[in-house]
Amino acid sequence: VLLGVLLASSACSSPSLSALGLGRSPQPAAAVDSYPPWAVCGPVRVEARYYLDQADVMGGDLLEDYGIVPIALRLGIVPLAPEAGRLAAVPEEMSLVLHLADGTALPRVSPLELGVRRRRKDRLLSEALQGGLLPAWETPREGFVYFLLPPGARGSSSALSVEVPAPGGTRTLDLRGSLVSLELAVGGTRRAVRLGLQLDRHGPRAAKDEP
Amino acid sequence: VRAEYFLLIGALAAWTLAGCSSPSASGKGSPALDVAAAALDLGEIETVERALEPQLADGAPQWSAEERFWSCWLLAQAKALAALDRAGDWDAESRAERTSLEVNAAYFAGLAANAALRVDAGSHAPGSPDLSFEDAALGLELLRVALLERLGFSERAQWRAAQIPGLASASEIAADIARSGLHERLHARVWWALFQERSRRAPAEAFPFAVGALRATDPWPGALDQEEVRGIESWIKDGAPFTFRCPECSQPAIPELRGCPNDQTPLERFEPH
């Protein structure tokens, strides 16, 4: 009986034309709190940034054109943690996931898996987070991790929002409410790390790249 | 439970016949909300989601602030409960799914908090006329603290807890949680978060919070991870600034037993030495 009632009710929640995004203007994202954009896991500090001018950094708008959210990660050993020894982090083994504000999980994708032109792919690879021994925090080293929007989702760089499929149609989410989750092997155990996104511009990277 | 189950089926049938949703301006008598409230009591998470999430999609008919508050209040709890159901899964993919559900719960809790700013004080919970808007809003804030702590944002959780009046003592917290309308399976998570906060800020005061967390998880296995339960028990034995002893026989606390093995004095009555 319950199943029958649920099936009947599901017919009522089919997406309408307007909910499918036809014939309406973009919906503003609901205001949500953002999460702190840094985390400390034992001797490791992690920061995550979303560059407002990611189109300049990447030579094209990855969010709108390819449904890719590029997040810059910086990991390093904090000062006064000599006991840390040698710690390594490899993106493929970090269980990296970007959770949009409503929890929608975006998997990490390798630039090699993306259907982009070769020059773009080379650019993405050169900017990607490299695995290896973690440097001291003071050493500026940052790399991008790429997350793929789910089918049917679309991003807006100007509005800093992502529209995702949701029960009843779509849901517009503020990118600032997103959260990165990852795992690090510290002291012989895998530890979960979660952090929000810092919105930034190319400034620090540009300064670093200057001769 | 059987009576509640048939009540839920009846409410679902009424909701379906009524065209899924016909929220009134005041929020009273909204079938979808009544269905969801009954379903949450029974732990029927998918029914809560089916009843409410379509009403919150882009372009859906605008609900009143009151209806948005109660629907998000119910969904936040439903998602937090769904996250608890993932507690036993230990592969990386399952852990990420659990995080997604916790973020999802925090999202709806945030939406509820936004809507709460425009809700009249006289409102009461769908299906629960004894639960006032004010008490539910308190429960919502406690849930937000619990979710922040669970996600690892301890400083943010501590800050948010400091904004909530009436969290000075364990007895006050017990009363707050009891009247908050939060699903009982979530109580342990609130206690655990407040224990974590207190053990960092004022460890000498944290023992009643530790006991509160253990007591709240006993009737709901899985409400806290085993690791979290062990962490509390370990703190009582080794991490606290005092040794807690039975007031009758001075037996040091064995928190796993929840009381004195000699005379069954409950752990709550143990005293610091």
Side-chain angles (χ1 to χ4, degrees), chain B residues 81-148:
Chain B
L81 289 171
L84 292 185
D85 292 336
R86 296 288 204 287
D89 300 327
W90 293 113
D91 60 288
E93 195 174 330
S94 299
R95 285 194 291 269
E97 280 178 25
R98 182 178 179 182
T99 300
S100 279
L101 287 165
E102 287 159 348
V103 174
N104 200 193
Y107 171 74
F108 283 115
L111 294 188
N114 291 346
L117 301 171
R118 303 188 305 281
V119 176
D120 292 334
S123 179
H124 60 75
S128 304
D130 295 337
L131 178 59
S132 70
F133 162 70
E134 290 78 7
D135 288 344
L138 169 67
L140 181 72
E141 289 307 307
L142 292 172
L143 180 60
R144 296 178 84 187
V145 170
L147 289 167
L148 283 169

Side-chain angles (χ1 to χ4, degrees), chain A residues 1-2 5-6 8 10 12-13 27 30-31 33-36 95 99-103 105 167 170-172 179 183 194, chain B residues 5 9 12 15-16 20 50 53-54 57-58 92 95-96 99-100 103-104 106-107 111 114 144 150-151 153 156 160:
Chain A
V1 173
L2 185 61
V5 175
L6 278 173
S10 68
C12 298
S13 57
Q27 181 97 359
D33 288 347
S34 58
Y35 295 100
S95 303
H99 306 267
L100 297 178
D102 73 338
T170 59
R171 184 182 287 156
T172 305
L179 176 146
E183 295 184 356
R194 302 177 187 101
Chain B
Y5 193 70
I9 291 174
L12 272 167
W15 171 48
T16 307
C20 297
R50 274 182 171 280
E53 286 199 80
D58 293 349
R95 285 194 291 269
T99 300
S100 279
V103 174
N104 200 193
Y107 171 74
L111 294 188
N114 291 346
R144 296 178 84 187
R150 167 66 202 158
L151 286 168
F153 300 111
R156 182 73 62 88
R160 191 164 283 286

